[in-house]
Amino acid sequence: MNSSTYTQFVASRRMGICEPLHQIGMWDDFNASCPSTSATMILEVEKCLEEQIPIMEKRLDNEIEDTSHGTVGTSNRYEAETSKPIEKVLRRLAQNREAARKSRLRKKAYVQQLENSKLKLIQLEQELERARKQGLYVGGGLDASQLSYSGTASSGTAAFDTEYGQWVEEQNRQTNDLRNALYHSQISEADLRVIVDGCLNQYSNLFRIKATAAKDDVLYIMSGMWKTSAERFFMWIGGFRPSELLKVLTPHLQLLTEQQLREVCNLTQSCQQAEDALSQGMVKLHQILAEAIAAGRLGEGNYSLPQMGPAIEKLEALVRFVNQADHLRQETLQQMSRILNTHQAAQGFLALGEYFERLRVLSSQWATRLREPA
């Protein structure tokens, strides 16, 4: 009985429950069941309890504290293990943000570069348009020899370029008129003759402005920089070769009589003979000019006007060659206009105008091809 009561008391104290009424009841039962037990025994039991209970309480507190420390340690280890992937994710997010920032900067720089290139292209187009209107750009380029250190062309060649640009526009308009008159509308013989005469006068105007420009700078006229690149390929002494143009026109002429065929053949032979004579004269002029330039003393390095005077005099003879070649061209066109009737002459001038238009288109497409990336 005593052992059972002690166990219950200890359990109650361990659980931290204070039940004074229950404890009093237990002691009453103990006294009632053991009337012979002395007061001394009771005091000893109480003393023993007082000694054992603090020890047991201390041990219980230590166990609770150990359990608590163990839980805290486990929690710290879990937090450390959990924090590792979180730090990795945060570091990766930071790297992604930095990469995105750099990508935005590169994109911004690329867009800015495109905008600058677009502005430069617009500026170049505007400059080319202004140069074309001022007569500085005709036929696809400028001759560098015509540019002074200030970057401007001479007044004579600039005026010629302006007039030649206007001449090309007028020729294109006349070609369209001929095309419409021959194939798209009904027109009288008299009206068609007016258009043909206008085309003939148009070429006469070209030879006139060329003669004026040749006096100012014959080398510029000879270089053909006022023409497109494809036209320059077929140039002969500052213009087209008359015999070759006759070969271009003849296949497009309809219903030629035998008399007309003989006259066209004779005109072609005459043109070829005159061309050969002018070509031989040009060869001789080249030789004389080369000898005049090479006549200076070696090592002088002083190319003054007196020393270059003989060469300049020889260049003045080149003006006569250009004028004679243009005169041959004009005579050829006039003779063809006389040999042919009005309808045939209209066909001839249309073929001539479209021939030059094709050469200009060829030059433009070739230049575009060169600018395209490979």
Side-chain angles (χ1 to χ4, degrees), residues 15-51:
M15 294 173 64
I17 300 175
C18 183
E19 296 178 349
L21 295 177
H22 182 67
Q23 291 176 8
I24 294 173
M26 290 194 314
W27 283 113
D28 290 341
D29 293 341
F30 178 78
N31 291 331
S33 61
C34 300
S36 60
T37 304
S38 62
T40 304
M41 184 178 179
I42 294 172
L43 293 174
E44 291 178 357
V45 171
E46 289 179 352
K47 184 178 180 181
C48 181
L49 289 174
E50 291 176 356
E51 293 177 355

Side-chain angles (χ1 to χ4, degrees), residues 1 23-24 52 63 68 70 104 129 142 146 165 174 182 201 242-243 258 262 264-265 276 279 299 347 360 369-370:
M1 182 62 69
Q23 291 176 8
I24 294 173
Q52 294 295 329
E63 291 177 358
S68 176
R104 288 192 298 270
E129 181 64 20
L142 280 173
Q146 298 305 310
Q174 290 179 348
L182 292 174
N201 292 331
S243 60
E258 293 183 0
R262 284 195 299 270
V264 171
C265 182
D276 292 340
S279 297
Q347 290 177 334
R360 297 185 190 109
R369 175 183 176 274
L370 294 178

Side-chain angles (χ1 to χ4, degrees), residues 193-212:
R193 189 71 217 182
V194 171
I195 298 177
V196 171
D197 291 341
C199 294
L200 187 59
N201 292 331
Q202 179 71 2
Y203 282 98
S204 297
N205 292 333
L206 174 62
F207 302 139
R208 177 183 56 80
I209 63 177
K210 282 179 62 181
T212 302

Side-chain angles (χ1 to χ4, degrees), residues 58-213:
K58 184 175 181 180
R59 184 180 301 171
L60 181 61
D61 292 338
N62 292 335
E63 291 177 358
I64 294 173
E65 184 177 358
D66 293 340
T67 304
S68 176
H69 288 173
T71 304
V72 173
T74 305
S75 176
N76 292 336
R77 288 193 300 271
Y78 176 76
E79 291 178 356
E81 294 175 357
T82 307
S83 62
K84 290 182 180 179
I86 293 177
E87 292 177 357
K88 186 177 181 180
V89 171
L90 293 176
R91 186 168 58 255
R92 184 171 297 175
L93 289 175
Q95 293 175 352
N96 292 341
R97 285 193 297 269
E98 181 65 18
R101 185 184 68 85
K102 294 180 179 179
S103 178
R104 288 192 298 270
L105 292 176
R106 288 194 298 268
K107 181 180 179 181
K108 183 178 180 181
Y110 179 69
V111 172
Q112 185 65 32
Q113 183 180 2
L114 290 179
E115 291 293 335
N116 294 336
S117 300
K118 181 180 179 181
L119 292 177
K120 291 181 180 179
L121 180 60
I122 294 174
Q123 183 179 2
L124 288 175
E125 290 177 350
Q126 292 175 351
E127 291 178 356
L128 290 176
E129 181 64 20
R130 287 195 300 269
R132 187 189 68 81
K133 292 180 179 179
Q134 295 173 1
L136 301 180
Y137 184 87
V138 177
L142 280 173
D143 186 1
S145 65
Q146 298 305 310
L147 298 177
S148 63
Y149 291 107
S150 60
T152 59
S154 64
S155 59
T157 56
F160 170 75
D161 286 340
T162 301
E163 291 180 317
Y164 180 72
Q166 297 171 353
W167 184 89
V168 171
E169 294 177 358
E170 179 63 20
Q171 186 194 35
N172 292 336
R173 186 191 64 80
Q174 290 179 348
T175 302
N176 290 330
D177 292 342
L178 286 172
R179 189 181 297 112
N180 294 329
L182 292 174
Y183 300 103
H184 302 291
S185 65
Q186 298 294 331
I187 189 172
S188 63
E189 184 81 10
D191 293 337
L192 186 60
R193 189 71 217 182
V194 171
I195 298 177
V196 171
D197 291 341
C199 294
L200 187 59
N201 292 331
Q202 179 71 2
Y203 282 98
S204 297
N205 292 333
L206 174 62
F207 302 139
R208 177 183 56 80
I209 63 177
K210 282 179 62 181
T212 302

Side-chain angles (χ1 to χ4, degrees), residues 268-326:
T268 302
Q269 292 178 355
S270 298
C271 288
Q272 290 176 343
Q273 292 175 359
E275 291 169 4
D276 292 340
L278 287 175
S279 297
Q280 292 175 3
M282 285 292 298
V283 172
K284 185 64 176 178
L285 180 61
H286 284 171
Q287 295 176 352
I288 296 174
L289 184 59
E291 292 174 357
I293 296 174
R297 293 181 180 179
L298 186 64
E300 287 184 349
N302 183 18
Y303 311 120
S304 60
L305 181 60
Q307 292 181 343
M308 303 303 295
I312 294 177
E313 292 178 359
K314 302 300 184 295
L315 279 178
E316 292 177 353
L318 188 60
V319 178
R320 294 193 297 271
F321 279 93
V322 172
N323 293 336
Q324 290 175 3
D326 282 344

